[in-house]
Amino acid sequence: MQTSFTLAQLADPDTAEADRILRTCVHCGFCTATCPTYVLLGDELDSPRGRIYLIKDMLENDRPATAEVVKHIDRCLSCLACMTTCPSGVHYMHLVDHARDHIERTYTRPLADRLLRTILARVLPHNSRFRRALGAARLGKPFARLFAALGLNPLAAMLRLAPDRLPVNTTGRGRRRFSPAGPRRGRIALLDGCVGPVLAPSINAAAIRLLTRHGIEVIVAEDGCCGALVHHMGREQEALTDARRRIDAWTAELEGEGLDAIVVTASGCGTMVKDYGYVLRTDSVYADKAARVSRLTLDISEYLSRLKLSSAPDPIGLVVAYHSACSLQHGQKIARAPKELLSKIGFVVKDVAEAHLCCGSAGTYNILQPELARRLRERKVGNIEKLKPDVIAAGNIGCMTQIATGTAIPVVHTVELIDWATGGPAPEAFAGRGISSTAGEAAAVAM
């Protein structure tokens, strides 16, 4: 694609990178076939290629974003399926992130939209605020249908996503150290995050049990958001502030007793942390530290693939429908590791049709674009239920929450199943579902 940025524009490193990305695009249109919004809407402007044209025009002319541009960029899930499909290697993620930053700086949204986005940015990344908000949401949940009828669809979506009860976080807060069972074979830092510890603290609890049982010392360096939630809303400075906090905490551990890896159980967060080296590349203080953190960051499935895991003495036999989170399969290019781990440990793993299509979660997308998110969830759940699985496994808390609102099949994190099969307790989602917990107990006896 030809571009015509001025030399003055190209002096800005973000614009120069946008120019490089735009020039990579050859207009082939392969991306349209795997773009969820194009599949649903059939509008060229709701495809990666169409959005690239809109972004090019906006940035080249250095003009404020228009309502039309904002509409189509807002509909993008950042699922990154287009990057997996693209034969030319167009780094769409960095381009659309730059466009969102430009929109945030140059476009004045309607008051209701501004208010909603401000609330999400001020509440979701903070554990205590988010917990209090969910407590209030439970009271309002019976009125979700009424709010939807009044046209307040984002509010209705928030209420429907809120859990009926809040689980107890047993892993604590602040800096924590979890000692390995037996000789230490490794030392890792585990990202605590923001949404996960409130909605599903059982995920990191399972990861800690599993890792320490296999000789790994686990450090939770600090609570808090990695920056992904606000980053994808175009609030770049807030995202960079969050990133620097995480980098400072992990750098202290690296320069102390050292770390073998930084492990993340939420793939959306993992994609962000692995990109720290890029987003902070022009920061003279943090560039090198950010790059070091990115190099060390692994999804939990990547790290577990390096360990020799114990397993149940008998095949478990549960049928698992594996949902491949977009941030994992497209953002981090990890598709096989989670399924192989589950298969080796005794689960019957089935692939979901149209696995490349997003479930509609995408950070705050299922709140900001509730109708499109609902249609994507129904499509995903329909494909999953055709497999008649005993359980659904995923590697991202956002996907788990989204899918669980559309099906009665229990939805758990991959690491919860692996923990159970190697001696840990049955996942909390199994309670009252008639799924036996004997596999984990048998593995515990064997160990």
Side-chain angles (χ1 to χ4, degrees), residues 125-171:
H126 305 277
N127 297 153
S128 57
R129 296 178 196 173
F130 185 41
R131 179 172 285 275
R132 289 196 296 270
L134 287 178
R138 282 183 294 164
L139 299 176
K141 197 165 186 175
F143 303 101
R145 183 175 294 180
L146 173 62
F147 289 129
L150 294 172
L152 302 173
N153 291 315
L155 180 56
M158 282 194 288
L159 294 175
R160 287 174 177 143
L161 288 165
D164 294 327
R165 66 176 185 86
L166 288 179
V168 177
N169 190 338
T170 59
T171 62

mmCIF file of all heavy atoms in Angstrom, residues 125-171:
data_model
loop_
_atom_site.group_PDB
_atom_site.id
_atom_site.type_symbol
_atom_site.label_atom_id
_atom_site.label_comp_id
_atom_site.label_asym_id
_atom_site.label_seq_id
_atom_site.Cartn_x
_atom_site.Cartn_y
_atom_site.Cartn_z
ATOM 1 N N PRO A 125 -9.758 -2.063 36.410
ATOM 2 C CA PRO A 125 -8.355 -2.387 36.709
ATOM 3 C C PRO A 125 -7.998 -2.392 38.202
ATOM 4 O O PRO A 125 -6.855 -2.673 38.549
ATOM 5 C CB PRO A 125 -7.575 -1.266 35.990
ATOM 6 C CG PRO A 125 -8.534 -0.690 35.013
ATOM 7 C CD PRO A 125 -9.869 -0.802 35.663
ATOM 8 N N HIS A 126 -8.959 -2.099 39.069
ATOM 9 C CA HIS A 126 -8.677 -1.983 40.505
ATOM 10 C C HIS A 126 -9.501 -3.012 41.280
ATOM 11 O O HIS A 126 -10.735 -2.954 41.292
ATOM 12 C CB HIS A 126 -8.988 -0.570 40.997
ATOM 13 C CG HIS A 126 -8.265 0.501 40.232
ATOM 14 N ND1 HIS A 126 -6.962 0.861 40.515
ATOM 15 C CD2 HIS A 126 -8.649 1.260 39.170
ATOM 16 C CE1 HIS A 126 -6.583 1.814 39.677
ATOM 17 N NE2 HIS A 126 -7.578 2.065 38.848
ATOM 18 N N ASN A 127 -8.814 -3.954 41.915
ATOM 19 C CA ASN A 127 -9.470 -5.082 42.572
ATOM 20 C C ASN A 127 -10.585 -4.666 43.519
ATOM 21 O O ASN A 127 -11.717 -5.151 43.424
ATOM 22 C CB ASN A 127 -8.451 -5.905 43.358
ATOM 23 C CG ASN A 127 -7.390 -6.546 42.490
ATOM 24 O OD1 ASN A 127 -6.292 -6.801 42.933
ATOM 25 N ND2 ASN A 127 -7.707 -6.816 41.239
ATOM 26 N N SER A 128 -10.285 -3.757 44.445
ATOM 27 C CA SER A 128 -11.264 -3.397 45.475
ATOM 28 C C SER A 128 -12.461 -2.670 44.874
ATOM 29 O O SER A 128 -13.614 -2.928 45.246
ATOM 30 C CB SER A 128 -10.603 -2.548 46.560
ATOM 31 O OG SER A 128 -10.018 -1.382 46.002
ATOM 32 N N ARG A 129 -12.215 -1.771 43.937
ATOM 33 C CA ARG A 129 -13.322 -1.056 43.291
ATOM 34 C C ARG A 129 -14.189 -2.020 42.485
ATOM 35 O O ARG A 129 -15.419 -1.930 42.495
ATOM 36 C CB ARG A 129 -12.785 0.037 42.356
ATOM 37 C CG ARG A 129 -12.017 1.143 43.052
ATOM 38 C CD ARG A 129 -11.487 2.129 42.007
ATOM 39 N NE ARG A 129 -10.459 2.985 42.559
ATOM 40 C CZ ARG A 129 -9.731 3.835 41.831
ATOM 41 N NH1 ARG A 129 -9.946 3.926 40.523
ATOM 42 N NH2 ARG A 129 -8.799 4.586 42.400
ATOM 43 N N PHE A 130 -13.557 -2.934 41.785
ATOM 44 C CA PHE A 130 -14.291 -3.884 40.964
ATOM 45 C C PHE A 130 -15.151 -4.793 41.836
ATOM 46 O O PHE A 130 -16.310 -5.076 41.509
ATOM 47 C CB PHE A 130 -13.305 -4.698 40.126
ATOM 48 C CG PHE A 130 -13.951 -5.641 39.140
ATOM 49 C CD1 PHE A 130 -15.064 -5.265 38.413
ATOM 50 C CD2 PHE A 130 -13.421 -6.907 38.931
ATOM 51 C CE1 PHE A 130 -15.658 -6.132 37.500
ATOM 52 C CE2 PHE A 130 -13.997 -7.776 38.028
ATOM 53 C CZ PHE A 130 -15.120 -7.393 37.318
ATOM 54 N N ARG A 131 -14.602 -5.233 42.954
ATOM 55 C CA ARG A 131 -15.381 -6.094 43.862
ATOM 56 C C ARG A 131 -16.608 -5.362 44.385
ATOM 57 O O ARG A 131 -17.707 -5.922 44.436
ATOM 58 C CB ARG A 131 -14.492 -6.572 45.003
ATOM 59 C CG ARG A 131 -15.207 -7.454 46.024
ATOM 60 C CD ARG A 131 -14.236 -8.066 47.016
ATOM 61 N NE ARG A 131 -13.490 -9.138 46.390
ATOM 62 C CZ ARG A 131 -13.925 -10.385 46.291
ATOM 63 N NH1 ARG A 131 -15.118 -10.712 46.765
ATOM 64 N NH2 ARG A 131 -13.200 -11.307 45.730
ATOM 65 N N ARG A 132 -16.438 -4.102 44.768
ATOM 66 C CA ARG A 132 -17.585 -3.327 45.264
ATOM 67 C C ARG A 132 -18.615 -3.121 44.155
ATOM 68 O O ARG A 132 -19.826 -3.186 44.392
ATOM 69 C CB ARG A 132 -17.114 -1.981 45.819
ATOM 70 C CG ARG A 132 -16.352 -2.090 47.127
ATOM 71 C CD ARG A 132 -16.252 -0.746 47.819
ATOM 72 N NE ARG A 132 -15.480 0.217 47.046
ATOM 73 C CZ ARG A 132 -14.170 0.388 47.148
ATOM 74 N NH1 ARG A 132 -13.471 -0.364 47.992
ATOM 75 N NH2 ARG A 132 -13.543 1.292 46.418
ATOM 76 N N ALA A 133 -18.131 -2.873 42.940
ATOM 77 C CA ALA A 133 -19.048 -2.669 41.819
ATOM 78 C C ALA A 133 -19.856 -3.932 41.526
ATOM 79 O O ALA A 133 -21.052 -3.859 41.232
ATOM 80 C CB ALA A 133 -18.265 -2.246 40.579
ATOM 81 N N LEU A 134 -19.216 -5.089 41.633
ATOM 82 C CA LEU A 134 -19.931 -6.340 41.395
ATOM 83 C C LEU A 134 -20.960 -6.603 42.486
ATOM 84 O O LEU A 134 -22.028 -7.176 42.217
ATOM 85 C CB LEU A 134 -18.943 -7.509 41.310
ATOM 86 C CG LEU A 134 -18.101 -7.591 40.043
ATOM 87 C CD1 LEU A 134 -17.135 -8.753 40.120
ATOM 88 C CD2 LEU A 134 -18.983 -7.721 38.803
ATOM 89 N N GLY A 135 -20.644 -6.187 43.705
ATOM 90 C CA GLY A 135 -21.620 -6.314 44.786
ATOM 91 C C GLY A 135 -22.880 -5.516 44.487
ATOM 92 O O GLY A 135 -24.006 -5.988 44.682
ATOM 93 N N ALA A 136 -22.689 -4.308 43.962
ATOM 94 C CA ALA A 136 -23.838 -3.472 43.595
ATOM 95 C C ALA A 136 -24.557 -4.055 42.374
ATOM 96 O O ALA A 136 -25.792 -3.990 42.285
ATOM 97 C CB ALA A 136 -23.365 -2.049 43.296
ATOM 98 N N ALA A 137 -23.797 -4.623 41.443
ATOM 99 C CA ALA A 137 -24.396 -5.179 40.226
ATOM 100 C C ALA A 137 -25.327 -6.339 40.542
ATOM 101 O O ALA A 137 -26.346 -6.539 39.845
ATOM 102 C CB ALA A 137 -23.303 -5.628 39.263
ATOM 103 N N ARG A 138 -25.012 -7.113 41.560
ATOM 104 C CA ARG A 138 -25.887 -8.232 41.916
ATOM 105 C C ARG A 138 -27.276 -7.744 42.313
ATOM 106 O O ARG A 138 -28.284 -8.400 42.047
ATOM 107 C CB ARG A 138 -25.268 -9.044 43.048
ATOM 108 C CG ARG A 138 -24.150 -9.981 42.590
ATOM 109 C CD ARG A 138 -23.636 -10.806 43.742
ATOM 110 N NE ARG A 138 -22.967 -9.972 44.741
ATOM 111 C CZ ARG A 138 -22.686 -10.355 45.976
ATOM 112 N NH1 ARG A 138 -23.069 -11.540 46.392
ATOM 113 N NH2 ARG A 138 -22.057 -9.557 46.803
ATOM 114 N N LEU A 139 -27.332 -6.580 42.954
ATOM 115 C CA LEU A 139 -28.629 -6.016 43.340
ATOM 116 C C LEU A 139 -29.420 -5.563 42.113
ATOM 117 O O LEU A 139 -30.650 -5.634 42.085
ATOM 118 C CB LEU A 139 -28.425 -4.838 44.290
ATOM 119 C CG LEU A 139 -27.709 -5.147 45.620
ATOM 120 C CD1 LEU A 139 -27.494 -3.867 46.417
ATOM 121 C CD2 LEU A 139 -28.518 -6.154 46.434
ATOM 122 N N GLY A 140 -28.710 -5.087 41.096
ATOM 123 C CA GLY A 140 -29.378 -4.591 39.906
ATOM 124 C C GLY A 140 -29.623 -5.640 38.839
ATOM 125 O O GLY A 140 -30.323 -5.371 37.850
ATOM 126 N N LYS A 141 -29.065 -6.838 39.017
ATOM 127 C CA LYS A 141 -29.147 -7.868 37.983
ATOM 128 C C LYS A 141 -30.581 -8.211 37.575
ATOM 129 O O LYS A 141 -30.849 -8.422 36.382
ATOM 130 C CB LYS A 141 -28.405 -9.120 38.459
ATOM 131 C CG LYS A 141 -28.067 -10.079 37.336
ATOM 132 C CD LYS A 141 -27.032 -11.097 37.771
ATOM 133 C CE LYS A 141 -26.604 -11.951 36.590
ATOM 134 N NZ LYS A 141 -25.524 -12.884 36.921
ATOM 135 N N PRO A 142 -31.553 -8.274 38.500
ATOM 136 C CA PRO A 142 -32.926 -8.586 38.085
ATOM 137 C C PRO A 142 -33.526 -7.556 37.126
ATOM 138 O O PRO A 142 -34.532 -7.835 36.467
ATOM 139 C CB PRO A 142 -33.695 -8.612 39.413
ATOM 140 C CG PRO A 142 -32.655 -8.899 40.449
ATOM 141 C CD PRO A 142 -31.431 -8.210 39.962
ATOM 142 N N PHE A 143 -32.909 -6.378 37.047
ATOM 143 C CA PHE A 143 -33.452 -5.317 36.198
ATOM 144 C C PHE A 143 -32.747 -5.227 34.839
ATOM 145 O O PHE A 143 -32.980 -4.285 34.084
ATOM 146 C CB PHE A 143 -33.340 -3.967 36.921
ATOM 147 C CG PHE A 143 -34.032 -3.944 38.255
ATOM 148 C CD1 PHE A 143 -33.312 -4.069 39.433
ATOM 149 C CD2 PHE A 143 -35.411 -3.825 38.330
ATOM 150 C CE1 PHE A 143 -33.946 -4.060 40.661
ATOM 151 C CE2 PHE A 143 -36.061 -3.806 39.558
ATOM 152 C CZ PHE A 143 -35.334 -3.922 40.719
ATOM 153 N N ALA A 144 -31.910 -6.202 34.520
ATOM 154 C CA ALA A 144 -31.155 -6.164 33.267
ATOM 155 C C ALA A 144 -32.083 -6.103 32.058
ATOM 156 O O ALA A 144 -31.844 -5.332 31.112
ATOM 157 C CB ALA A 144 -30.235 -7.382 33.169
ATOM 158 N N ARG A 145 -33.153 -6.889 32.072
ATOM 159 C CA ARG A 145 -34.080 -6.890 30.932
ATOM 160 C C ARG A 145 -34.753 -5.535 30.774
ATOM 161 O O ARG A 145 -34.951 -5.056 29.654
ATOM 162 C CB ARG A 145 -35.117 -7.990 31.114
ATOM 163 C CG ARG A 145 -36.077 -8.123 29.935
ATOM 164 C CD ARG A 145 -37.005 -9.308 30.106
ATOM 165 N NE ARG A 145 -36.269 -10.567 30.075
ATOM 166 C CZ ARG A 145 -36.849 -11.754 30.213
ATOM 167 N NH1 ARG A 145 -38.159 -11.846 30.390
ATOM 168 N NH2 ARG A 145 -36.120 -12.857 30.177
ATOM 169 N N LEU A 146 -35.091 -4.903 31.899
ATOM 170 C CA LEU A 146 -35.716 -3.581 31.851
ATOM 171 C C LEU A 146 -34.770 -2.554 31.245
ATOM 172 O O LEU A 146 -35.174 -1.752 30.384
ATOM 173 C CB LEU A 146 -36.130 -3.148 33.261
ATOM 174 C CG LEU A 146 -36.649 -1.699 33.409
ATOM 175 C CD1 LEU A 146 -37.914 -1.505 32.584
ATOM 176 C CD2 LEU A 146 -36.889 -1.379 34.885
ATOM 177 N N PHE A 147 -33.499 -2.583 31.676
ATOM 178 C CA PHE A 147 -32.519 -1.638 31.128
ATOM 179 C C PHE A 147 -32.346 -1.841 29.626
ATOM 180 O O PHE A 147 -32.216 -0.876 28.864
ATOM 181 C CB PHE A 147 -31.186 -1.774 31.844
ATOM 182 C CG PHE A 147 -31.193 -1.255 33.259
ATOM 183 C CD1 PHE A 147 -30.732 -2.025 34.310
ATOM 184 C CD2 PHE A 147 -31.663 0.016 33.541
ATOM 185 C CE1 PHE A 147 -30.745 -1.553 35.605
ATOM 186 C CE2 PHE A 147 -31.682 0.503 34.845
ATOM 187 C CZ PHE A 147 -31.222 -0.279 35.878
ATOM 188 N N ALA A 148 -32.340 -3.104 29.189
ATOM 189 C CA ALA A 148 -32.209 -3.384 27.760
ATOM 190 C C ALA A 148 -33.407 -2.832 26.989
ATOM 191 O O ALA A 148 -33.259 -2.270 25.903
ATOM 192 C CB ALA A 148 -32.074 -4.886 27.532
ATOM 193 N N ALA A 149 -34.615 -2.979 27.561
ATOM 194 C CA ALA A 149 -35.819 -2.463 26.914
ATOM 195 C C ALA A 149 -35.789 -0.947 26.792
ATOM 196 O O ALA A 149 -36.359 -0.372 25.862
ATOM 197 C CB ALA A 149 -37.057 -2.906 27.696
ATOM 198 N N LEU A 150 -35.110 -0.301 27.745
ATOM 199 C CA LEU A 150 -34.989 1.155 27.723
ATOM 200 C C LEU A 150 -33.859 1.632 26.819
ATOM 201 O O LEU A 150 -33.599 2.834 26.716
ATOM 202 C CB LEU A 150 -34.760 1.681 29.151
ATOM 203 C CG LEU A 150 -35.936 1.496 30.128
ATOM 204 C CD1 LEU A 150 -35.506 1.880 31.545
ATOM 205 C CD2 LEU A 150 -37.141 2.330 29.686
ATOM 206 N N GLY A 151 -33.188 0.692 26.175
ATOM 207 C CA GLY A 151 -32.095 1.054 25.274
ATOM 208 C C GLY A 151 -30.752 1.190 25.954
ATOM 209 O O GLY A 151 -29.774 1.607 25.325
ATOM 210 N N LEU A 152 -30.684 0.820 27.241
ATOM 211 C CA LEU A 152 -29.420 0.920 27.990
ATOM 212 C C LEU A 152 -28.692 -0.423 27.915
ATOM 213 O O LEU A 152 -28.441 -1.096 28.925
ATOM 214 C CB LEU A 152 -29.703 1.316 29.441
ATOM 215 C CG LEU A 152 -30.456 2.648 29.619
ATOM 216 C CD1 LEU A 152 -30.835 2.857 31.080
ATOM 217 C CD2 LEU A 152 -29.596 3.813 29.116
ATOM 218 N N ASN A 153 -28.354 -0.810 26.686
ATOM 219 C CA ASN A 153 -27.785 -2.142 26.466
ATOM 220 C C ASN A 153 -26.438 -2.376 27.141
ATOM 221 O O ASN A 153 -26.202 -3.461 27.679
ATOM 222 C CB ASN A 153 -27.687 -2.421 24.965
ATOM 223 C CG ASN A 153 -29.055 -2.586 24.335
ATOM 224 O OD1 ASN A 153 -29.917 -3.273 24.876
ATOM 225 N ND2 ASN A 153 -29.280 -1.941 23.197
ATOM 226 N N PRO A 154 -25.518 -1.409 27.133
ATOM 227 C CA PRO A 154 -24.261 -1.647 27.849
ATOM 228 C C PRO A 154 -24.467 -1.897 29.351
ATOM 229 O O PRO A 154 -23.808 -2.771 29.926
ATOM 230 C CB PRO A 154 -23.479 -0.346 27.604
ATOM 231 C CG PRO A 154 -24.006 0.158 26.304
ATOM 232 C CD PRO A 154 -25.475 -0.155 26.348
ATOM 233 N N LEU A 155 -25.375 -1.163 29.970
ATOM 234 C CA LEU A 155 -25.650 -1.378 31.392
ATOM 235 C C LEU A 155 -26.268 -2.759 31.608
ATOM 236 O O LEU A 155 -25.893 -3.480 32.549
ATOM 237 C CB LEU A 155 -26.591 -0.291 31.915
ATOM 238 C CG LEU A 155 -26.980 -0.377 33.398
ATOM 239 C CD1 LEU A 155 -25.745 -0.397 34.280
ATOM 240 C CD2 LEU A 155 -27.897 0.798 33.771
ATOM 241 N N ALA A 156 -27.200 -3.140 30.728
ATOM 242 C CA ALA A 156 -27.796 -4.467 30.827
ATOM 243 C C ALA A 156 -26.738 -5.553 30.663
ATOM 244 O O ALA A 156 -26.747 -6.565 31.372
ATOM 245 C CB ALA A 156 -28.883 -4.626 29.767
ATOM 246 N N ALA A 157 -25.801 -5.341 29.740
ATOM 247 C CA ALA A 157 -24.733 -6.318 29.512
ATOM 248 C C ALA A 157 -23.851 -6.461 30.750
ATOM 249 O O ALA A 157 -23.471 -7.579 31.132
ATOM 250 C CB ALA A 157 -23.896 -5.902 28.311
ATOM 251 N N MET A 158 -23.519 -5.345 31.386
ATOM 252 C CA MET A 158 -22.704 -5.400 32.604
ATOM 253 C C MET A 158 -23.396 -6.215 33.682
ATOM 254 O O MET A 158 -22.775 -7.025 34.372
ATOM 255 C CB MET A 158 -22.415 -3.987 33.110
ATOM 256 C CG MET A 158 -21.323 -3.263 32.359
ATOM 257 S SD MET A 158 -20.735 -1.785 33.238
ATOM 258 C CE MET A 158 -22.123 -0.684 33.019
ATOM 259 N N LEU A 159 -24.691 -5.998 33.854
ATOM 260 C CA LEU A 159 -25.438 -6.701 34.898
ATOM 261 C C LEU A 159 -25.509 -8.193 34.600
ATOM 262 O O LEU A 159 -25.379 -9.028 35.510
ATOM 263 C CB LEU A 159 -26.841 -6.111 35.022
ATOM 264 C CG LEU A 159 -26.913 -4.662 35.525
ATOM 265 C CD1 LEU A 159 -28.346 -4.157 35.486
ATOM 266 C CD2 LEU A 159 -26.353 -4.540 36.935
ATOM 267 N N ARG A 160 -25.704 -8.553 33.344
ATOM 268 C CA ARG A 160 -25.789 -9.971 32.989
ATOM 269 C C ARG A 160 -24.461 -10.691 33.172
ATOM 270 O O ARG A 160 -24.425 -11.893 33.457
ATOM 271 C CB ARG A 160 -26.262 -10.104 31.538
ATOM 272 C CG ARG A 160 -27.747 -9.779 31.362
ATOM 273 C CD ARG A 160 -28.146 -9.782 29.909
ATOM 274 N NE ARG A 160 -29.581 -9.538 29.742
ATOM 275 C CZ ARG A 160 -30.116 -8.836 28.763
ATOM 276 N NH1 ARG A 160 -29.318 -8.294 27.829
ATOM 277 N NH2 ARG A 160 -31.413 -8.663 28.683
ATOM 278 N N LEU A 161 -23.367 -9.976 32.993
ATOM 279 C CA LEU A 161 -22.048 -10.586 33.154
ATOM 280 C C LEU A 161 -21.645 -10.751 34.608
ATOM 281 O O LEU A 161 -20.764 -11.551 34.936
ATOM 282 C CB LEU A 161 -20.989 -9.745 32.429
ATOM 283 C CG LEU A 161 -21.007 -9.805 30.900
ATOM 284 C CD1 LEU A 161 -20.172 -8.676 30.310
ATOM 285 C CD2 LEU A 161 -20.501 -11.150 30.403
ATOM 286 N N ALA A 162 -22.281 -9.996 35.498
ATOM 287 C CA ALA A 162 -21.924 -10.058 36.922
ATOM 288 C C ALA A 162 -22.291 -11.423 37.498
ATOM 289 O O ALA A 162 -23.377 -11.940 37.245
ATOM 290 C CB ALA A 162 -22.647 -8.954 37.687
ATOM 291 N N PRO A 163 -21.406 -12.041 38.269
ATOM 292 C CA PRO A 163 -21.707 -13.354 38.858
ATOM 293 C C PRO A 163 -22.752 -13.243 39.962
ATOM 294 O O PRO A 163 -22.932 -12.181 40.565
ATOM 295 C CB PRO A 163 -20.355 -13.795 39.431
ATOM 296 C CG PRO A 163 -19.635 -12.518 39.727
ATOM 297 C CD PRO A 163 -20.077 -11.541 38.661
ATOM 298 N N ASP A 164 -23.453 -14.349 40.211
ATOM 299 C CA ASP A 164 -24.464 -14.353 41.272
ATOM 300 C C ASP A 164 -23.835 -14.267 42.652
ATOM 301 O O ASP A 164 -24.449 -13.787 43.603
ATOM 302 C CB ASP A 164 -25.319 -15.620 41.170
ATOM 303 C CG ASP A 164 -26.160 -15.634 39.896
ATOM 304 O OD1 ASP A 164 -26.572 -14.545 39.462
ATOM 305 O OD2 ASP A 164 -26.373 -16.729 39.341
ATOM 306 N N ARG A 165 -22.617 -14.747 42.748
ATOM 307 C CA ARG A 165 -21.893 -14.635 44.025
ATOM 308 C C ARG A 165 -20.426 -14.400 43.723
ATOM 309 O O ARG A 165 -19.917 -14.792 42.658
ATOM 310 C CB ARG A 165 -22.056 -15.895 44.879
ATOM 311 C CG ARG A 165 -21.421 -17.138 44.289
ATOM 312 C CD ARG A 165 -21.529 -18.337 45.204
ATOM 313 N NE ARG A 165 -20.807 -19.480 44.650
ATOM 314 C CZ ARG A 165 -19.497 -19.702 44.826
ATOM 315 N NH1 ARG A 165 -18.780 -18.843 45.550
ATOM 316 N NH2 ARG A 165 -18.910 -20.761 44.297
ATOM 317 N N LEU A 166 -19.736 -13.767 44.662
ATOM 318 C CA LEU A 166 -18.318 -13.499 44.486
ATOM 319 C C LEU A 166 -17.497 -14.537 45.243
ATOM 320 O O LEU A 166 -17.707 -14.753 46.442
ATOM 321 C CB LEU A 166 -17.971 -12.101 44.994
ATOM 322 C CG LEU A 166 -18.471 -10.933 44.138
ATOM 323 C CD1 LEU A 166 -18.064 -9.613 44.774
ATOM 324 C CD2 LEU A 166 -17.925 -11.025 42.727
ATOM 325 N N PRO A 167 -16.568 -15.188 44.564
ATOM 326 C CA PRO A 167 -15.731 -16.181 45.249
ATOM 327 C C PRO A 167 -14.751 -15.517 46.209
ATOM 328 O O PRO A 167 -14.445 -14.330 46.084
ATOM 329 C CB PRO A 167 -14.999 -16.865 44.098
ATOM 330 C CG PRO A 167 -14.975 -15.848 43.001
ATOM 331 C CD PRO A 167 -16.243 -15.065 43.135
ATOM 332 N N VAL A 168 -14.272 -16.292 47.148
ATOM 333 C CA VAL A 168 -13.304 -15.795 48.123
ATOM 334 C C VAL A 168 -11.896 -15.988 47.576
ATOM 335 O O VAL A 168 -11.560 -17.057 47.055
ATOM 336 C CB VAL A 168 -13.449 -16.553 49.466
ATOM 337 C CG1 VAL A 168 -12.389 -16.081 50.459
ATOM 338 C CG2 VAL A 168 -14.842 -16.360 50.036
ATOM 339 N N ASN A 169 -11.091 -14.944 47.683
ATOM 340 C CA ASN A 169 -9.699 -15.030 47.240
ATOM 341 C C ASN A 169 -8.849 -15.539 48.397
ATOM 342 O O ASN A 169 -8.689 -14.863 49.409
ATOM 343 C CB ASN A 169 -9.207 -13.651 46.787
ATOM 344 C CG ASN A 169 -7.854 -13.721 46.098
ATOM 345 O OD1 ASN A 169 -7.090 -14.661 46.292
ATOM 346 N ND2 ASN A 169 -7.551 -12.727 45.294
ATOM 347 N N THR A 170 -8.329 -16.754 48.250
ATOM 348 C CA THR A 170 -7.567 -17.385 49.331
ATOM 349 C C THR A 170 -6.063 -17.181 49.199
ATOM 350 O O THR A 170 -5.311 -17.623 50.070
ATOM 351 C CB THR A 170 -7.854 -18.897 49.369
ATOM 352 O OG1 THR A 170 -7.486 -19.477 48.108
ATOM 353 C CG2 THR A 170 -9.335 -19.166 49.635
ATOM 354 N N THR A 171 -5.620 -16.523 48.123
ATOM 355 C CA THR A 171 -4.173 -16.375 47.916
ATOM 356 C C THR A 171 -3.620 -15.075 48.492
ATOM 357 O O THR A 171 -2.417 -14.841 48.440
ATOM 358 C CB THR A 171 -3.819 -16.453 46.419
ATOM 359 O OG1 THR A 171 -4.453 -15.375 45.724
ATOM 360 C CG2 THR A 171 -4.278 -17.773 45.827
#
